[in-house]
Short mmCIF file of all heavy atoms in Angstrom, two decimals:
data_model
loop_
_atom_site.label_atom_id
_atom_site.label_comp_id
_atom_site.label_asym_id
_atom_site.label_seq_id
_atom_site.Cartn_x
_atom_site.Cartn_y
_atom_site.Cartn_z
N ASP L 148 -9.59 -2.15 -0.38
CA ASP L 148 -8.27 -2.66 -0.01
C ASP L 148 -7.37 -2.77 -1.23
O ASP L 148 -7.76 -2.44 -2.34
CB ASP L 148 -8.36 -3.98 0.76
CG ASP L 148 -8.82 -5.15 -0.11
OD1 ASP L 148 -8.95 -4.99 -1.33
OD2 ASP L 148 -9.03 -6.24 0.46
N TYR L 149 -6.12 -3.21 -1.01
CA TYR L 149 -5.12 -3.23 -2.08
C TYR L 149 -5.45 -4.23 -3.18
O TYR L 149 -4.88 -4.16 -4.27
CB TYR L 149 -3.74 -3.50 -1.49
CG TYR L 149 -3.54 -4.92 -1.02
CD1 TYR L 149 -2.82 -5.83 -1.79
CD2 TYR L 149 -4.06 -5.35 0.19
CE1 TYR L 149 -2.64 -7.13 -1.36
CE2 TYR L 149 -3.88 -6.64 0.63
CZ TYR L 149 -3.17 -7.52 -0.15
OH TYR L 149 -2.99 -8.82 0.28
N LEU L 150 -6.38 -5.15 -2.93
CA LEU L 150 -6.80 -6.10 -3.97
C LEU L 150 -8.03 -5.59 -4.73
O LEU L 150 -8.66 -6.34 -5.46
CB LEU L 150 -7.10 -7.46 -3.34
CG LEU L 150 -5.88 -8.18 -2.76
CD1 LEU L 150 -6.29 -9.44 -2.04
CD2 LEU L 150 -4.87 -8.49 -3.84
N ALA L 151 -8.38 -4.33 -4.54
CA ALA L 151 -9.46 -3.64 -5.25
C ALA L 151 -10.84 -4.18 -4.90
O ALA L 151 -11.76 -4.11 -5.71
CB ALA L 151 -9.23 -3.68 -6.77
N SER L 152 -10.99 -4.71 -3.70
CA SER L 152 -12.34 -5.04 -3.25
C SER L 152 -12.94 -3.78 -2.64
O SER L 152 -12.23 -2.95 -2.08
CB SER L 152 -12.32 -6.18 -2.24
OG SER L 152 -11.65 -5.79 -1.07
N MET L 153 -14.25 -3.64 -2.76
CA MET L 153 -14.92 -2.45 -2.26
C MET L 153 -16.25 -2.86 -1.65
O MET L 153 -16.97 -3.68 -2.21
CB MET L 153 -15.18 -1.45 -3.40
CG MET L 153 -15.87 -0.18 -2.93
SD MET L 153 -16.32 0.90 -4.29
CE MET L 153 -17.84 0.15 -4.84
N VAL L 154 -16.56 -2.27 -0.48
CA VAL L 154 -17.85 -2.53 0.15
C VAL L 154 -18.28 -1.28 0.90
O VAL L 154 -17.45 -0.56 1.45
CB VAL L 154 -17.78 -3.77 1.08
CG1 VAL L 154 -16.84 -3.55 2.23
CG2 VAL L 154 -19.16 -4.16 1.59
N LYS L 155 -19.58 -1.02 0.87
CA LYS L 155 -20.15 0.12 1.60
C LYS L 155 -20.49 -0.37 3.01
O LYS L 155 -21.19 -1.37 3.18
CB LYS L 155 -21.41 0.61 0.88
CG LYS L 155 -22.05 1.82 1.52
CD LYS L 155 -23.27 2.25 0.71
CE LYS L 155 -23.97 3.41 1.37
NZ LYS L 155 -25.16 3.82 0.60
N LEU L 156 -19.97 0.35 4.02
CA LEU L 156 -20.14 -0.07 5.41
C LEU L 156 -20.56 1.10 6.30
O LEU L 156 -20.44 2.26 5.92
CB LEU L 156 -18.82 -0.63 5.95
CG LEU L 156 -18.28 -1.90 5.29
CD1 LEU L 156 -16.87 -2.19 5.78
CD2 LEU L 156 -19.18 -3.07 5.60
N ASN L 157 -21.02 0.77 7.50
CA ASN L 157 -21.31 1.80 8.50
C ASN L 157 -20.05 2.19 9.25
O ASN L 157 -19.92 3.32 9.71
CB ASN L 157 -22.36 1.33 9.49
CG ASN L 157 -23.73 1.26 8.85
OD1 ASN L 157 -24.05 2.04 7.96
ND2 ASN L 157 -24.55 0.32 9.29
N TYR L 158 -19.13 1.25 9.44
CA TYR L 158 -17.85 1.55 10.08
C TYR L 158 -16.81 0.57 9.56
O TYR L 158 -17.13 -0.57 9.18
CB TYR L 158 -17.94 1.50 11.61
CG TYR L 158 -18.59 0.26 12.16
CD1 TYR L 158 -17.86 -0.91 12.35
CD2 TYR L 158 -19.93 0.26 12.49
CE1 TYR L 158 -18.46 -2.04 12.87
CE2 TYR L 158 -20.54 -0.87 13.01
CZ TYR L 158 -19.80 -2.02 13.20
OH TYR L 158 -20.39 -3.14 13.70
N ALA L 159 -15.56 1.04 9.53
CA ALA L 159 -14.49 0.22 8.99
C ALA L 159 -13.16 0.72 9.52
O ALA L 159 -13.06 1.86 9.99
CB ALA L 159 -14.49 0.29 7.46
N ALA L 160 -12.15 -0.13 9.45
CA ALA L 160 -10.81 0.25 9.85
C ALA L 160 -9.80 -0.58 9.08
O ALA L 160 -10.08 -1.71 8.69
CB ALA L 160 -10.62 0.05 11.36
N HIS L 161 -8.64 0.01 8.85
CA HIS L 161 -7.51 -0.70 8.25
C HIS L 161 -6.36 -0.67 9.24
O HIS L 161 -6.22 0.28 10.01
CB HIS L 161 -7.05 -0.02 6.95
CG HIS L 161 -7.88 -0.34 5.76
ND1 HIS L 161 -7.96 -1.61 5.20
CD2 HIS L 161 -8.67 0.44 4.99
CE1 HIS L 161 -8.75 -1.57 4.15
NE2 HIS L 161 -9.20 -0.34 4.00
N GLY L 162 -5.53 -1.68 9.19
CA GLY L 162 -4.35 -1.74 10.04
C GLY L 162 -4.57 -2.65 11.24
O GLY L 162 -5.66 -3.16 11.47
N TYR L 163 -3.51 -2.82 12.01
CA TYR L 163 -3.58 -3.70 13.18
C TYR L 163 -4.57 -3.20 14.21
O TYR L 163 -5.15 -3.98 14.96
CB TYR L 163 -2.20 -3.84 13.82
CG TYR L 163 -1.25 -4.71 13.04
CD1 TYR L 163 -0.08 -4.18 12.50
CD2 TYR L 163 -1.51 -6.06 12.85
CE1 TYR L 163 0.80 -4.98 11.78
CE2 TYR L 163 -0.65 -6.86 12.13
CZ TYR L 163 0.51 -6.31 11.59
OH TYR L 163 1.36 -7.11 10.89
N GLY L 164 -4.78 -1.90 14.27
CA GLY L 164 -5.73 -1.34 15.23
C GLY L 164 -7.13 -1.87 15.04
O GLY L 164 -7.92 -1.92 15.99
N SER L 165 -7.46 -2.30 13.84
CA SER L 165 -8.81 -2.80 13.56
C SER L 165 -9.14 -4.05 14.39
O SER L 165 -10.29 -4.28 14.73
CB SER L 165 -8.99 -3.10 12.07
OG SER L 165 -8.15 -4.16 11.67
N PHE L 166 -8.11 -4.83 14.74
CA PHE L 166 -8.35 -6.03 15.56
C PHE L 166 -8.91 -5.67 16.93
O PHE L 166 -9.63 -6.45 17.54
CB PHE L 166 -7.07 -6.84 15.74
CG PHE L 166 -6.54 -7.41 14.46
CD1 PHE L 166 -5.28 -7.06 14.01
CD2 PHE L 166 -7.28 -8.28 13.70
CE1 PHE L 166 -4.78 -7.58 12.83
CE2 PHE L 166 -6.79 -8.81 12.51
CZ PHE L 166 -5.53 -8.45 12.08
N PHE L 167 -8.57 -4.48 17.43
CA PHE L 167 -8.98 -4.08 18.77
C PHE L 167 -10.29 -3.30 18.79
O PHE L 167 -10.97 -3.28 19.81
CB PHE L 167 -7.89 -3.21 19.42
CG PHE L 167 -6.55 -3.88 19.45
CD1 PHE L 167 -5.50 -3.41 18.68
CD2 PHE L 167 -6.33 -4.99 20.25
CE1 PHE L 167 -4.28 -4.03 18.71
CE2 PHE L 167 -5.09 -5.62 20.28
CZ PHE L 167 -4.06 -5.13 19.51
N ILE L 168 -10.64 -2.64 17.68
CA ILE L 168 -11.76 -1.69 17.76
C ILE L 168 -13.05 -2.16 17.12
O ILE L 168 -14.10 -1.60 17.40
CB ILE L 168 -11.36 -0.32 17.15
CG1 ILE L 168 -11.09 -0.46 15.66
CG2 ILE L 168 -10.18 0.26 17.88
CD1 ILE L 168 -10.92 0.86 14.96
N LEU L 169 -13.00 -3.16 16.28
CA LEU L 169 -14.24 -3.57 15.61
C LEU L 169 -15.28 -4.09 16.60
O LEU L 169 -16.47 -3.88 16.42
CB LEU L 169 -13.94 -4.60 14.52
CG LEU L 169 -13.21 -4.02 13.30
CD1 LEU L 169 -12.89 -5.12 12.29
CD2 LEU L 169 -14.00 -2.91 12.64
N GLY L 170 -14.84 -4.74 17.66
CA GLY L 170 -15.78 -5.19 18.70
C GLY L 170 -16.43 -4.01 19.42
O GLY L 170 -17.63 -4.04 19.74
N ILE L 171 -15.65 -2.96 19.67
CA ILE L 171 -16.19 -1.76 20.31
C ILE L 171 -17.23 -1.11 19.40
O ILE L 171 -18.30 -0.70 19.86
CB ILE L 171 -15.06 -0.77 20.64
CG1 ILE L 171 -14.17 -1.36 21.72
CG2 ILE L 171 -15.61 0.59 21.06
CD1 ILE L 171 -12.91 -0.58 21.97
N LEU L 172 -16.92 -1.02 18.11
CA LEU L 172 -17.87 -0.43 17.16
C LEU L 172 -19.12 -1.29 17.03
O LEU L 172 -20.23 -0.76 16.93
CB LEU L 172 -17.19 -0.22 15.81
CG LEU L 172 -16.11 0.87 15.79
CD1 LEU L 172 -15.29 0.79 14.51
CD2 LEU L 172 -16.72 2.24 15.96
N ASP L 173 -18.96 -2.62 17.04
CA ASP L 173 -20.14 -3.51 17.02
C ASP L 173 -21.05 -3.23 18.20
O ASP L 173 -22.28 -3.24 18.07
CB ASP L 173 -19.69 -4.98 17.08
CG ASP L 173 -19.15 -5.49 15.76
OD1 ASP L 173 -19.45 -4.89 14.72
OD2 ASP L 173 -18.41 -6.49 15.79
N ARG L 174 -20.45 -3.01 19.36
CA ARG L 174 -21.23 -2.86 20.59
C ARG L 174 -21.88 -1.48 20.73
O ARG L 174 -23.03 -1.37 21.13
CB ARG L 174 -20.30 -3.13 21.79
CG ARG L 174 -20.88 -2.80 23.15
CD ARG L 174 -22.00 -3.75 23.54
NE ARG L 174 -22.56 -3.42 24.83
CZ ARG L 174 -23.56 -2.55 25.02
NH1 ARG L 174 -24.08 -1.90 24.00
NH2 ARG L 174 -24.02 -2.32 26.23
N PHE L 175 -21.15 -0.41 20.40
CA PHE L 175 -21.61 0.93 20.75
C PHE L 175 -22.12 1.77 19.58
O PHE L 175 -22.70 2.83 19.79
CB PHE L 175 -20.49 1.70 21.46
CG PHE L 175 -20.11 1.12 22.78
CD1 PHE L 175 -18.93 0.42 22.94
CD2 PHE L 175 -20.95 1.25 23.88
CE1 PHE L 175 -18.58 -0.13 24.16
CE2 PHE L 175 -20.62 0.71 25.11
CZ PHE L 175 -19.42 0.02 25.24
N TYR L 176 -21.92 1.34 18.34
CA TYR L 176 -22.34 2.14 17.18
C TYR L 176 -23.86 2.23 17.07
O TYR L 176 -24.58 1.24 17.23
CB TYR L 176 -21.78 1.53 15.89
CG TYR L 176 -22.37 2.15 14.64
CD1 TYR L 176 -21.90 3.35 14.15
CD2 TYR L 176 -23.42 1.53 13.97
CE1 TYR L 176 -22.45 3.93 13.01
CE2 TYR L 176 -23.97 2.10 12.83
CZ TYR L 176 -23.48 3.30 12.37
OH TYR L 176 -24.03 3.87 11.25
N ARG L 177 -24.34 3.44 16.83
CA ARG L 177 -25.74 3.69 16.47
C ARG L 177 -25.76 4.68 15.32
O ARG L 177 -25.04 5.68 15.36
CB ARG L 177 -26.52 4.30 17.66
CG ARG L 177 -26.72 3.40 18.84
CD ARG L 177 -27.63 4.02 19.91
NE ARG L 177 -27.66 5.46 19.97
CZ ARG L 177 -26.79 6.23 20.67
NH1 ARG L 177 -25.84 5.66 21.38
NH2 ARG L 177 -26.92 7.54 20.67
N PRO L 178 -26.57 4.46 14.29
CA PRO L 178 -26.54 5.37 13.13
C PRO L 178 -27.05 6.77 13.42
O PRO L 178 -26.74 7.71 12.68
CB PRO L 178 -27.44 4.67 12.10
CG PRO L 178 -28.23 3.67 12.86
CD PRO L 178 -27.46 3.32 14.08
N ASN L 179 -27.80 6.97 14.51
CA ASN L 179 -28.38 8.28 14.79
C ASN L 179 -27.57 9.08 15.81
O ASN L 179 -28.09 10.01 16.42
CB ASN L 179 -29.82 8.12 15.27
CG ASN L 179 -29.93 7.31 16.55
OD1 ASN L 179 -28.97 6.66 16.95
ND2 ASN L 179 -31.09 7.34 17.18
N MET L 180 -26.32 8.76 16.01
CA MET L 180 -25.48 9.48 16.97
C MET L 180 -25.22 10.92 16.50
O MET L 180 -25.24 11.21 15.31
CB MET L 180 -24.13 8.77 17.15
CG MET L 180 -24.21 7.48 17.94
SD MET L 180 -22.60 6.66 18.00
CE MET L 180 -22.48 6.29 19.73
N THR L 181 -24.97 11.79 17.47
CA THR L 181 -24.58 13.18 17.17
C THR L 181 -23.07 13.22 16.93
O THR L 181 -22.36 12.26 17.27
CB THR L 181 -24.93 14.09 18.36
OG1 THR L 181 -24.11 13.70 19.48
CG2 THR L 181 -26.41 14.01 18.72
N PRO L 182 -22.57 14.32 16.36
CA PRO L 182 -21.11 14.43 16.19
C PRO L 182 -20.33 14.27 17.49
O PRO L 182 -19.28 13.63 17.52
CB PRO L 182 -20.93 15.82 15.59
CG PRO L 182 -22.19 16.07 14.83
CD PRO L 182 -23.27 15.42 15.66
N LYS L 183 -20.85 14.80 18.59
CA LYS L 183 -20.18 14.66 19.90
C LYS L 183 -20.14 13.20 20.33
O LYS L 183 -19.12 12.70 20.80
CB LYS L 183 -20.92 15.52 20.94
CG LYS L 183 -20.53 15.27 22.38
CD LYS L 183 -19.34 16.10 22.78
CE LYS L 183 -19.07 16.06 24.28
NZ LYS L 183 -18.47 14.85 24.74
N GLU L 184 -21.27 12.50 20.17
CA GLU L 184 -21.32 11.08 20.53
C GLU L 184 -20.40 10.25 19.63
O GLU L 184 -19.74 9.32 20.09
CB GLU L 184 -22.75 10.56 20.44
CG GLU L 184 -23.68 11.12 21.50
CD GLU L 184 -25.14 10.76 21.27
OE1 GLU L 184 -25.54 10.56 20.10
OE2 GLU L 184 -25.88 10.68 22.27
N GLY L 185 -20.35 10.60 18.34
CA GLY L 185 -19.46 9.91 17.42
C GLY L 185 -18.00 10.12 17.79
O GLY L 185 -17.19 9.19 17.74
N HIS L 186 -17.65 11.35 18.18
CA HIS L 186 -16.29 11.65 18.61
C HIS L 186 -15.94 10.86 19.87
O HIS L 186 -14.83 10.33 20.00
CB HIS L 186 -16.14 13.15 18.83
CG HIS L 186 -14.72 13.60 18.96
ND1 HIS L 186 -14.10 13.69 20.19
CD2 HIS L 186 -13.79 13.96 18.04
CE1 HIS L 186 -12.85 14.10 20.02
NE2 HIS L 186 -12.64 14.27 18.72
N ASP L 187 -16.89 10.76 20.79
CA ASP L 187 -16.67 9.97 22.01
C ASP L 187 -16.48 8.49 21.69
O ASP L 187 -15.68 7.79 22.33
CB ASP L 187 -17.84 10.14 22.99
CG ASP L 187 -17.88 11.53 23.61
OD1 ASP L 187 -16.85 12.24 23.56
OD2 ASP L 187 -18.94 11.91 24.13
N LEU L 188 -17.21 7.99 20.69
CA LEU L 188 -17.04 6.60 20.25
C LEU L 188 -15.63 6.38 19.70
O LEU L 188 -14.97 5.38 20.02
CB LEU L 188 -18.10 6.24 19.20
CG LEU L 188 -18.02 4.85 18.59
CD1 LEU L 188 -18.17 3.77 19.66
CD2 LEU L 188 -19.09 4.68 17.52
N LEU L 189 -15.15 7.32 18.88
CA LEU L 189 -13.78 7.22 18.38
C LEU L 189 -12.77 7.30 19.52
O LEU L 189 -11.73 6.64 19.48
CB LEU L 189 -13.51 8.32 17.35
CG LEU L 189 -14.12 8.13 15.97
CD1 LEU L 189 -13.78 9.32 15.09
CD2 LEU L 189 -13.63 6.85 15.32
N LYS L 190 -13.08 8.09 20.53
CA LYS L 190 -12.19 8.21 21.69
C LYS L 190 -12.05 6.86 22.39
O LYS L 190 -10.96 6.47 22.80
CB LYS L 190 -12.75 9.26 22.65
CG LYS L 190 -11.75 9.74 23.69
CD LYS L 190 -12.37 10.78 24.62
CE LYS L 190 -12.69 12.05 23.89
NZ LYS L 190 -13.18 13.12 24.81
N LYS L 191 -13.16 6.11 22.50
CA LYS L 191 -13.11 4.76 23.09
C LYS L 191 -12.22 3.85 22.24
O LYS L 191 -11.43 3.06 22.77
CB LYS L 191 -14.51 4.14 23.16
CG LYS L 191 -15.37 4.65 24.27
CD LYS L 191 -16.71 3.93 24.26
CE LYS L 191 -17.63 4.56 25.28
NZ LYS L 191 -18.97 4.02 25.26
N CYS L 192 -12.37 3.93 20.93
CA CYS L 192 -11.58 3.09 20.03
C CYS L 192 -10.09 3.39 20.15
O CYS L 192 -9.26 2.48 20.27
CB CYS L 192 -12.03 3.30 18.58
SG CYS L 192 -13.69 2.74 18.23
N VAL L 193 -9.75 4.67 20.13
CA VAL L 193 -8.34 5.05 20.20
C VAL L 193 -7.75 4.68 21.56
O VAL L 193 -6.60 4.22 21.64
CB VAL L 193 -8.19 6.56 19.89
CG1 VAL L 193 -6.79 7.05 20.22
CG2 VAL L 193 -8.53 6.83 18.43
N ALA L 194 -8.51 4.85 22.64
CA ALA L 194 -8.02 4.47 23.97
C ALA L 194 -7.71 2.97 24.02
O ALA L 194 -6.71 2.56 24.62
CB ALA L 194 -9.05 4.84 25.03
N GLU L 195 -8.55 2.17 23.37
CA GLU L 195 -8.31 0.72 23.34
C GLU L 195 -7.04 0.39 22.55
O GLU L 195 -6.25 -0.46 22.97
CB GLU L 195 -9.52 0.03 22.71
CG GLU L 195 -9.53 -1.46 22.88
CD GLU L 195 -9.78 -1.91 24.30
OE1 GLU L 195 -10.23 -1.11 25.14
OE2 GLU L 195 -9.50 -3.09 24.60
N ILE L 196 -6.84 1.06 21.42
CA ILE L 196 -5.63 0.83 20.64
C ILE L 196 -4.40 1.22 21.46
O ILE L 196 -3.42 0.48 21.52
CB ILE L 196 -5.67 1.65 19.32
CG1 ILE L 196 -6.73 1.08 18.38
CG2 ILE L 196 -4.31 1.67 18.64
CD1 ILE L 196 -7.04 1.95 17.19
N GLN L 197 -4.46 2.37 22.11
CA GLN L 197 -3.30 2.85 22.86
C GLN L 197 -3.03 2.00 24.09
O GLN L 197 -1.88 1.89 24.53
CB GLN L 197 -3.50 4.32 23.24
CG GLN L 197 -3.44 5.21 22.01
CD GLN L 197 -3.88 6.64 22.27
OE1 GLN L 197 -4.55 6.92 23.25
NE2 GLN L 197 -3.50 7.53 21.37
N GLN L 198 -4.05 1.36 24.64
CA GLN L 198 -3.85 0.52 25.81
C GLN L 198 -3.34 -0.87 25.43
O GLN L 198 -2.47 -1.42 26.10
CB GLN L 198 -5.16 0.39 26.58
CG GLN L 198 -5.04 -0.48 27.81
CD GLN L 198 -6.37 -0.62 28.54
OE1 GLN L 198 -7.34 0.04 28.19
NE2 GLN L 198 -6.41 -1.48 29.54
N ARG L 199 -3.85 -1.45 24.34
CA ARG L 199 -3.59 -2.86 24.05
C ARG L 199 -2.58 -3.12 22.94
O ARG L 199 -2.01 -4.20 22.88
CB ARG L 199 -4.91 -3.55 23.71
CG ARG L 199 -5.88 -3.47 24.89
CD ARG L 199 -7.15 -4.22 24.64
NE ARG L 199 -6.89 -5.63 24.41
CZ ARG L 199 -7.75 -6.44 23.82
NH1 ARG L 199 -8.89 -5.99 23.38
NH2 ARG L 199 -7.46 -7.71 23.65
N PHE L 200 -2.38 -2.17 22.04
CA PHE L 200 -1.47 -2.39 20.90
C PHE L 200 -0.04 -2.12 21.35
O PHE L 200 0.24 -1.10 21.99
CB PHE L 200 -1.88 -1.48 19.75
CG PHE L 200 -1.20 -1.79 18.44
CD1 PHE L 200 -0.85 -3.08 18.10
CD2 PHE L 200 -0.92 -0.78 17.54
CE1 PHE L 200 -0.25 -3.37 16.88
CE2 PHE L 200 -0.31 -1.05 16.33
CZ PHE L 200 0.02 -2.35 16.00
N ILE L 201 0.86 -3.02 21.00
CA ILE L 201 2.25 -2.91 21.45
C ILE L 201 2.98 -1.73 20.82
O ILE L 201 3.91 -1.18 21.40
CB ILE L 201 2.99 -4.24 21.17
CG1 ILE L 201 4.31 -4.29 21.92
CG2 ILE L 201 3.20 -4.43 19.68
CD1 ILE L 201 4.97 -5.64 21.91
#
Side-chain angles (χ1 to χ4, degrees):
D148 70 6
Y149 72 102
L150 293 174
S152 65
M153 180 186 82
V154 64
K155 182 178 177 181
L156 296 170
N157 288 328
Y158 50 84
H161 280 294
Y163 286 117
S165 65
F166 295 120
F167 304 112
I168 65 170
L169 290 177
I171 292 171
L172 291 168
D173 284 339
R174 170 69 181 88
F175 295 107
Y176 169 81
R177 293 186 332 273
N179 61 347
M180 288 176 132
T181 65
K183 168 87 170 75
E184 291 171 332
H186 193 268
D187 290 343
L188 177 60
L189 285 179
K190 196 180 293 185
K191 283 182 186 175
C192 293
V193 169
E195 192 70 15
I196 291 169
Q197 291 170 341
Q198 180 181 353
R199 299 184 61 200
F200 191 33
I201 194 169

